[in-house]
Every structure is written in C-alpha cells, then in structure tokens.
Amino acid sequence: MAKIWCTSMIAKPTRLVLNGLKKKGFEVYLVGGCVRDLILDRTPKDFDILTSAELREVLNTFQRCEIVGRRFPICHVHIDDTIVEVSSFTTTMRKFKRNSYNVVRRPPACSDTDFIRWKNCLGRDFTINGLTFDPFAKIVYDYLGGLEDIRRAKVRCVIPASACFVEDCVLATRILRGLRIAGRLRFWFARETTHSIKELASSISRLDKGRILLEMNYMLAYGSAEASLRLLWKFGLLEILLPIQVVLFVLDSLVVSSYLTLFGCLNQVLSNEPSLAPRTVP
C-alpha cells in the first residue's frame, strides 16, 4: 500500500459523489487511470468510482442518475454538466466471473472487501491502471505491482499480453490505449507487451472505424501527439491508421520532420501538465 496525500486534484463533481455515497455508509474508491495520474501529480482527465452500493442504491442516492450499459451496467451520476461514472462491487464480480484468466484462489486472511478490491484490479488492462484509492483514508491498494511499474515507467499487461489484446475484437483497442498511455507518460513497454503489440498490430484494422477515430482523437488531443505518432510508426500501425501520411513519410523524410515538428508544437499548446519525466513514488 502507498498513500496519496494531496487530493486537491480530485474534481469537485467527483468529490460530491464520493461524499454522497460515503455519508450513506457505503465503501467508496477511485479506480483506474485517475489513481495513476494522482500518483504522478497529474490532473486526471476523468474519474471512475467503485462502491459497495448496489446500482439501485446509487440511483436512489442522487437526483440525476441513470443506469447505463447492458453487459456491465454502471451508473452515470449527473453533477451540473459533468457525468461521474460509478460501478458497483456486484458488477465487478460479474465481470470477474466472465474472465477465465481471473481464476484465483482466495488468499489466507483476506477479508471480503480486500478480495473484491483485488478482483476488480485483475479486470483492468495494465498494472498501472490497476490501482485502488481510498480518498478518505488516502491509501492506495496495489495488488499487481502497479506502483513499481510506475516507478520504472513501464506499461505492462495485467494478464498475459497475447490474451490481453485478443480476448475479443473490442479489447484490441487496448493496443491503441496502451500506446496512448505510453506516449503521454513517456513510459516504455514490458518486453512481453512489446512483442504482442508487434504480433497483433494488424488486428487494429478489424476495429470499428468510430472507435479508431475516438482513440486517435485521444492520442492527439492531450499534449502527447508527437510521442504517440512515433510509437504508431515504431509498431507499424501508422500504415493502418494513416495510410496516406505513411506514403508521404516514405517518399520524403522532410515530411516526417515537418509532421513531428507540427505535432510537437501542438503538444506545447495543449499540454498544461508538469514535466513528463516519471516521478518518484513514495
């Protein structure tokens, strides 16, 4: 476990939802990439909440709230113009049972709550996204070595990388997400993850075009465009995602330099984050 002392970067709508559920007596945590960003002293783009409350109980706690999703339903809590996503322990258990790679035995002296937190982390994509933060006790729970991977600036899959990227077609977006995270944070990939991305890069072409466009927009929108393009080029994905630009790159090296310079300038305009060098984790 580790501690996050500064919680001022948690957005006000998220704090209102956290406090509302806590006052009702429910356990409540922040999970996923927002915890990683808080550890790195970065302002998270969004926040995901995990709670012991059932979704119906979340629905009854807030005036403007709805349950969305069929396969793995969550709650959308509307605070002013912001939507805060809340998932339940129950939903996490259902997702866990559908993943054959998450068949584990309950460790000795492990409480029910600790086991549920652990299983939620096992359902994540990368270890650095598999952290659970109690914002009231200010404790980070790490069951997957995510803190060590943050220290080492490494992107590593939770389950075997070859399975992580091919469980189903939709989850192939993890390749793009992994590249986006690595580009934004200036992290490197674990050896197994690097090998699997190279082997499975062609699976990106089977993804829905709308999903690809969404991921590409994310890559270019948050001050990491240049680094993301370099990674896409390195792993042979540019010829799938931006085929016209790749032809220009091959024909004229000056075009490559001009493109990267352009996106480098764009990064400086869009990025209001601290230094991209990995920070030491307490």
Side-chain angles (χ1 to χ4, degrees):
M1 293 187 296
K3 289 199 173 185
I4 297 176
W5 295 108
C6 180
T7 57
S8 60
M9 287 185 290
I10 298 176
K12 182 179 178 181
T14 303
R15 292 201 303 270
L16 290 174
V17 175
L18 291 168
N19 290 333
L21 292 170
K22 187 69 173 180
K23 288 179 181 178
K24 289 280 188 175
F26 300 117
E27 295 177 51
V28 63
Y29 304 94
L30 291 175
V31 293
C34 65
V35 182
R36 175 204 69 218
D37 287 347
L38 289 172
I39 290 172
L40 290 169
D41 197 23
R42 296 168 175 272
T43 302
K45 298 295 184 279
D46 49 46
F47 296 86
D48 292 324
I49 294 176
L50 175 68
T51 180
S52 60
E54 298 288 342
L55 294 183
R56 286 289 172 186
E57 292 174 315
V58 177
L59 195 65
N60 294 331
T61 302
F62 302 98
Q63 290 185 341
R64 298 174 60 208
C65 181
E66 58 186 345
I67 298 175
V68 300
R70 293 183 178 180
R71 190 180 181 189
F72 301 117
I74 61 173
C75 278
H76 277 180
V77 182
H78 297 261
I79 305 294
D80 297 327
D81 296 328
T82 302
I83 295 177
V84 181
E85 292 190 357
V86 181
S87 58
S88 168
F89 282 176
T90 303
T91 307
T92 298
M93 293 289 288
R94 189 185 311 169
K95 186 175 182 179
F96 176 83
K97 290 177 182 178
R98 293 177 69 114
N99 189 337
S100 60
Y101 284 92
N102 286 342
V103 178
V104 293
R105 293 184 179 181
R106 182 174 181 143
C110 180
S111 68
D112 291 341
T113 301
D114 203 50
F115 196 49
I116 290 172
R117 284 194 299 255
W118 182 23
K119 287 191 284 189
N120 174 74
C121 294
L122 288 172
R124 299 284 163 174
D125 46 12
F126 306 106
T127 58
I128 58 175
N129 292 340
L131 301 167
T132 302
F133 176 46
D134 182 336
F136 298 97
K138 297 185 178 179
I139 293 175
V140 176
Y141 296 90
D142 176 22
Y143 305 101
L144 307 172
L147 289 172
E148 178 61 24
D149 285 341
I150 290 176
R151 288 191 187 97
R152 297 175 61 187
K154 180 170 69 173
V155 178
R156 178 169 59 91
C157 295
V158 170
I159 63 175
S162 58
C164 176
F165 298 133
V166 296
E167 282 181 316
D168 58 49
C169 187
V170 174
L171 293 184
T173 57
R174 285 179 171 176
I175 292 178
L176 295 179
R177 191 182 309 128
L179 292 171
R180 170 163 51 89
I181 291 171
R184 177 177 173 234
L185 301 179
R186 300 299 195 269
F187 278 21
W188 56 282
F189 288 102
R191 181 178 301 177
E192 181 194 14
T193 306
T194 297
H195 177 74
S196 293
I197 291 176
K198 290 179 178 179
E199 288 289 315
L200 301 169
S202 62
S203 65
I204 296 296
S205 62
R206 299 196 299 270
L207 294 176
D208 176 75
K209 291 183 179 179
R211 183 67 191 190
I212 291 176
L213 179 61
L214 180 64
E215 290 293 334
M216 288 296 296
N217 285 337
Y218 282 149
M219 283 186 178
L220 302 178
Y222 295 118
S224 58
E226 180 183 356
S228 297
L229 286 174
R230 289 185 184 276
L231 286 172
L232 290 172
W233 177 263
K234 174 183 177 181
F235 285 101
L237 288 170
L238 270 185
E239 59 192 66
I240 297 174
L241 301 173
L242 301 173
I244 296 177
Q245 287 78 0
V246 167
V247 173
L248 293 174
F249 285 4
V250 172
L251 292 177
D252 191 343
S253 60
L254 290 177
V255 174
V256 179
S257 178
S258 298
Y259 259 81
L260 294 179
T261 298
L262 171 63
F263 282 111
C265 294
L266 182 64
N267 290 344
Q268 294 179 7
V269 172
L270 295 178
S271 179
N272 58 357
E273 296 182 333
S275 171
L276 291 173
R279 296 175 57 89
T280 301
V281 180

